[in-house]
Amino acid sequence: MEHQAINPPELFVGKAFSQTYSVRAAERLIFLSGQVDCDREGRVRNPDDLEAQLKGTLDNIEIGLQAQGASMRDLVKVNIYVVDLRPEQLARIREIRSAYFDADRPPAVTLLGVERLAFEGLKVEIEVIAAQ
């Protein structure tokens, strides 16, 4: 299977995402439901702590991918939803997610600010698509 991340010179080059991403002859696509920083009983682990929740959420994504026999290297599309997103948070969000993503071939990423998420105290939710 061939993965290809291309950043056309006419578009902004991101530090932790690819502008375009393609997969040729994927045997399967893996879709993870939106993940949050909750334990197995559904309790928010780090209420109102964006950085801790971002790490916990990415850890949960790794668990979900491993259950499907995949890894973070297989990610092709990531949507990140942050409650009350502020510009001064962007650098830290990028730094944390970059520690989890393939540095040579990061997935396509969308980062959105939202008003609220499903549970009180949640600051971040992430949904992903992986290809193998």
Side-chain angles (χ1 to χ4, degrees):
M1 176 176 43
E2 176 187 331
H3 289 248
Q4 187 172 32
I6 298 175
N7 290 294
E10 299 85 4
L11 298 178
F12 169 76
V13 176
K15 294 180 184 185
F17 69 93
S18 298
Q19 288 287 2
T20 72
Y21 199 106
S22 64
V23 179
R24 182 181 306 277
E27 291 184 23
R28 68 186 184 135
L29 295 175
I30 301 164
F31 301 87
L32 265 63
S33 294
Q35 296 296 304
V36 295
D37 183 37
C38 284
D39 62 21
R40 55 188 299 177
E41 282 79 38
R43 293 182 300 251
V44 178
R45 286 188 285 238
N46 298 288
D48 298 314
D49 184 336
L50 176 60
E51 289 187 22
Q53 284 190 26
L54 188 55
K55 291 174 186 175
T57 300
L58 289 161
D59 289 341
N60 284 349
I61 289 169
E62 281 188 314
I63 291 167
L65 290 170
Q66 288 172 358
Q68 287 284 341
S71 72
M72 297 296 262
R73 183 163 172 74
D74 297 312
L75 291 177
V76 296
K77 179 65 175 119
V78 176
N79 292 329
I80 304 172
Y81 305 92
V82 177
V83 174
D84 298 325
L85 179 64
R86 295 184 317 274
E88 62 269 18
Q89 297 170 311
L90 296 178
R92 187 66 180 134
I93 290 170
R94 283 188 201 112
E95 181 182 335
I96 292 168
R97 78 177 187 211
S98 293
Y100 287 81
F101 293 170
D102 183 343
D104 296 325
R105 196 183 65 211
V109 177
T110 299
L111 176 61
L112 298 167
V114 298
E115 185 176 327
R116 62 172 291 126
L117 293 168
F119 303 127
E120 192 66 34
L122 282 179
K123 300 297 285 179
V124 64
E125 182 167 344
I126 304 174
E127 61 182 349
V128 303
I129 301 172
Q132 289 187 310

